[in-house]
Amino acid sequence: MELLKRQEDWKITYTHALGEVASWFFVQIRDNAKIFGRRCGDTGRVLVPPRAFSDQTLEPTTEWVEVGPGGKIETFTIVYEPFNNLPEPPYAFGYVLLDGADTALGGYFRGVDLADPAAAAEKLKIGTRVVTKFADKDKRKGDMLDFWFELA
Amino acid sequence: MSAPRVGIIGIGQSEFRSRRDDSSYPDLVREAVAKAMTEAQLDFDDIEAIVYSLSPDAMVGIGNAERLGVDAVGGRGKRFLRINTGGATGISSVAAAYYHVAAGACDVVMTAGADKVGECGDSQTVLNKIWDPQYERPLPLGTITMLAMSGIRYAEKYGMTQEDMAQVVVKNRKHASLNPHAHLRKEVTVDEVMASRMISWPIKLMDCCPQSSGGGAMILASERYIKENRLDAVWITGVGHCSETYYIGDRMGNGYMADHADAFALKRSFERAYKMAGITDPRKQVDVAELYAPFSNTEYHAIEAAGLAGLGEAVAQVNEGRFSIGGEIPVNPSGGVLCTNAIAVTAMIRVAEVALQVSGRAGGHQVKGAKLGIASGNGGDHQFFGTMVVEA
C-alpha cells in the first residue's frame, strides 16, 4: 500500500542568560582578549571554563585566575562529514589545557591543513603545544568563537 | 542488604530498521508491547505500573511523546512514569521497573518504548543541544565527536589502532548476521571498515552505529507472583548506576578523577551491580555481556569497565577472539548497539538480549550454556551509566 509521510521543522528561539560567572569570563575575552578560570578555594584547582562552584567539592569558587595563552592539546577530532546546522567540514576542534589551568577548555584548531586526515591528526596529537588566538577586537562578541588555538 | 528477587517474564522486540514507514510512533511501541504480552501470557489488567522509556523528545520529533505512547502500553488507570537518561534510558527504565517490584509496591510492571531515529534528519543537531548554551554549545560537539575524542585518548594511552577499532565492527556485524532483530546484518571485513569514509577522526562510517527505528518492551514480576502463577523467568540479581560530572574537559588535564579515555563511572556502576549479585571475579563468573557501545572504540573501555579485561587489555583480547561467539565471554552477541540503535530502547535491549541468552532462547546468536549475563547503558555526555546482572 502507499505509505505517506509528513515533513516537520522545529524552529525554536531561546534567549539564554549566561549568568554572572560566564558573563564576566566572556567580557574579559571580548574587551581584553584574556582567558580566566576560577579557583576552587578547597583544592586550589583552577577550573576553565570558569564555574561558580566546583563540581568535585561543591564549594563556591573563590577567585579569578588568568590562564594561557599557551597550552597543550589534551584531545581533538577532525570532522569530515557534513551535519545539518553544524559547520561545513573539514574542521578540527578539541580540548586544550591552558597554562595555569587544571581543566581543559574546548575550542577550534585553526591553521592546520586538514586535507590528509592522518597527517593532520599527527600535527594535533595529544601533548602538542598550542597558543590561543583571538579575533580582532571589533569582531569579538563575547563568545566561545572569539578565540581558537593554533600550533605554537 | 538482601533484595527480594525480581524476575523477567516477558520480552518484546520489534523489527529494527532505518525507517518504519509502516508504523506510527505508538504503533511501533505497541508492536513490542504485544510481543512481550504474548510471551508473558498476561492480560493488561495484570500489569500494575508502566515505566515509559523515552530519551530526548526531539529525536522522535514529538514533545513528551509518552503522552501519545500511554495508550500503546495500556497505561490508563495505572501508575505511570517516564525515564530519560539519554542513551542509558532503556536500562534506567528497567531499573525503575525493578525498583517498583523490589520495593513491594507492585507485583507486575512493564517497561516499554520506541524510537524513530531514522525519521530525524538532524540527530547530531539534536545531540549538540545536550551541551550547555554558555560554554560548549557554540562548539560543534555531538555524540560522535565526543566519543571520537575519547578514542583519541584511549589510543594514546593504550595503543589502539584504527584496525583494532575495525575488529570490533567485524565481530559485532558477524554476530548481528545471526540475529534477526538486528538492523545492520551484513558482515564486513577490516579492509571494508578501513575504506569507509572518515566521519570524525578516528571514527569512520562503519565504526558508527546506525540510526534505527524500533521498539522494545519488558515485563518484570515479583518472585512471589512468578511462583504462584508457575511462570518461567530469569532473574535480575544485580542493579547498578553511577554518574559522572558534566564537563568533558574535566576528564583530562591535571588531577582529574576520571579519564575521558576510559569509562570510570561505568566501572563504578558495574562494581555496584556485581556486589549486589555476589560477583567477585567477573572474568570467571560472567558468561555473556551486552555492553552499550555505539562506536567501535567505546567497546574497548566498556569491556574494561565491566572488569572482563584489565585497563588497556581489551584490544589484544578482542583480536584474539576472546569476546566473539565461541570465545570465552562473548560481548554483544546480538551485534550490539553498533548494529542497532533506536536510542530510547537501546539500553533496554541490552538487558533483554542478556535475558534471552541466560534463558537459552537467543536463537542463532545463542551463547552455549550461558547462565549469567551482564548488560550496560551509557547516556548523557558519557555521564550516566546503568548496569545489570541477569541470571537463569
Side-chain angles (χ1 to χ4, degrees), chain B residues 63 97 115 125 141 147 167 172 183 245 252 289 325 339 365 369 379 390:
Chain B
D115 219 330
T125 307
L141 279 161
L147 291 169
Q167 290 288 356
N172 288 354
H183 176 176
T245 57
M252 53 193 77
I325 293 177
C339 300
H365 59 292
V390 183

Side-chain angles (χ1 to χ4, degrees), chain B residues 303-324:
Chain B
I303 288 170
E304 292 162 10
L308 304 182
L311 282 177
E313 293 173 4
V315 170
Q317 295 181 18
V318 163
N319 279 290
E320 288 160 10
R322 183 163 176 249
F323 303 115
S324 302

Side-chain angles (χ1 to χ4, degrees), chain A residues 13-76:
Chain A
T13 305
Y14 299 85
T15 304
H16 293 295
L18 301 191
E20 290 179 356
V21 169
S23 294
W24 199 91
F25 172 75
F26 285 123
V27 165
Q28 293 305 313
I29 288 172
R30 184 190 65 195
D31 295 352
N32 302 318
K34 288 183 172 178
I35 293 181
F36 284 81
R38 289 283 291 176
R39 190 186 302 282
C40 170
D42 224 35
T43 62
R45 297 177 84 236
V46 175
L47 307 179
V48 184
R51 280 147 264 175
F53 62 93
S54 160
D55 55 19
Q56 288 183 19
T57 65
L58 303 185
E59 293 293 324
T61 52
T62 51
E63 62 174 319
W64 288 100
V65 180
E66 188 181 349
V67 296
K72 69 180 176 87
I73 295 174
E74 287 283 346
T75 193
F76 69 94

Side-chain angles (χ1 to χ4, degrees), chain B residues 17-38:
Chain B
R17 296 199 291 267
S18 289
R19 298 187 59 95
R20 285 290 310 269
D21 292 345
D22 58 318
S23 291
S24 69
Y25 170 73
D27 290 349
L28 205 47
V29 176
R30 185 67 178 181
E31 182 179 322
V33 167
K35 288 182 175 179
M37 290 297 289
T38 301

Side-chain angles (χ1 to χ4, degrees), chain B residues 9-331:
Chain B
I9 59 170
I11 294 169
Q13 291 189 56
S14 75
E15 287 181 44
F16 291 92
R17 296 199 291 267
S18 289
R19 298 187 59 95
R20 285 290 310 269
D21 292 345
D22 58 318
S23 291
S24 69
Y25 170 73
D27 290 349
L28 205 47
V29 176
R30 185 67 178 181
E31 182 179 322
V33 167
K35 288 182 175 179
M37 290 297 289
T38 301
E39 185 173 295
Q41 296 187 301
L42 296 178
D43 295 323
F44 273 102
D45 287 346
D46 298 323
I47 308 283
E48 296 164 84
I50 303 292
V51 178
Y52 201 84
S53 192
L54 178 58
S55 44
D57 292 333
M59 205 63 82
V60 71
I62 304 167
N64 299 325
E66 72 276 13
R67 296 159 47 261
L68 181 61
V70 70
D71 294 343
V73 294
R76 183 173 56 86
K78 291 174 187 167
R79 296 170 191 250
F80 183 98
L81 59 84
R82 172 197 174 174
I83 296 283
N84 175 13
T85 51
T89 295
I91 197 165
S92 297
S93 296
V94 182
Y98 171 94
Y99 293 135
H100 276 77
V101 180
C106 299
D107 274 317
V108 188
V109 179
M110 179 161 66
T111 179
D115 219 330
K116 301 193 93 177
V117 187
E119 292 188 3
C120 177
D122 300 336
S123 60
Q124 289 304 313
T125 307
V126 172
L127 292 165
N128 173 257
K129 301 289 185 269
I130 73 175
W131 275 277
D132 75 275
Q134 279 85 0
Y135 296 131
E136 303 219 294
R137 178 89 57 78
L139 299 173
L141 279 161
T143 47
I144 304 175
T145 48
M146 164 183 80
L147 291 169
M149 289 196 239
S150 170
I152 290 288
R153 289 184 69 81
Y154 187 93
E156 174 81 6
K157 205 169 169 182
Y158 306 117
M160 174 188 71
T161 65
Q162 290 183 36
E163 286 81 1
D164 293 328
M165 291 165 59
Q167 290 288 356
V168 173
V169 184
V170 170
K171 169 179 78 72
N172 288 354
R173 287 286 197 100
K174 184 169 187 181
H175 291 174
S177 75
L178 305 168
N179 174 12
H181 291 294
H183 176 176
L184 299 181
R185 301 191 60 205
K186 187 174 173 290
E187 288 194 52
V188 294
T189 64
V190 168
D191 287 345
E192 286 170 326
V193 179
M194 292 300 290
S196 64
R197 71 179 187 271
M198 186 61 71
I199 303 291
S200 175
W201 178 276
I203 292 175
K204 292 177 287 302
L205 181 66
M206 287 187 184
D207 293 306
C208 299
C209 61
Q211 301 182 103
S212 310
S213 298
M218 294 178 70
I219 301 167
L220 276 54
S222 66
E223 183 168 20
R224 182 182 65 78
Y225 184 92
I226 288 166
K227 289 195 166 156
E228 277 181 13
N229 293 281
R230 296 188 175 82
L231 300 173
D232 290 327
V234 293
W235 305 95
I236 296 172
T237 56
V239 180
H241 214 278
C242 188
S243 306
E244 185 54 83
T245 57
Y246 165 73
Y247 286 97
I248 295 172
D250 287 13
R251 303 176 205 148
M252 53 193 77
N254 302 324
Y256 49 80
M257 299 180 82
D259 190 331
H260 192 50
D262 302 311
F264 178 77
L266 177 60
K267 181 169 181 284
R268 291 285 297 277
S269 179
F270 265 117
E271 286 166 358
R272 287 170 183 164
Y274 287 158
K275 186 177 178 195
M276 185 172 158
I279 292 175
T280 52
D281 187 352
R283 295 180 213 199
K284 290 214 169 74
Q285 291 169 272
V286 172
D287 298 318
V288 59
E290 284 281 339
L291 305 179
Y292 191 98
F295 302 98
S296 59
N297 55 297
T298 65
E299 188 169 303
Y300 286 121
H301 67 211
I303 288 170
E304 292 162 10
L308 304 182
L311 282 177
E313 293 173 4
V315 170
Q317 295 181 18
V318 163
N319 279 290
E320 288 160 10
R322 183 163 176 249
F323 303 115
S324 302
I325 293 177
E328 197 181 334
I329 310 171
V331 172

Side-chain angles (χ1 to χ4, degrees), chain A residues 104-121:
Chain A
L105 180 65
Y108 280 95
F109 297 110
R110 298 203 200 284
V112 175
D113 181 359
L114 304 177
D116 176 350

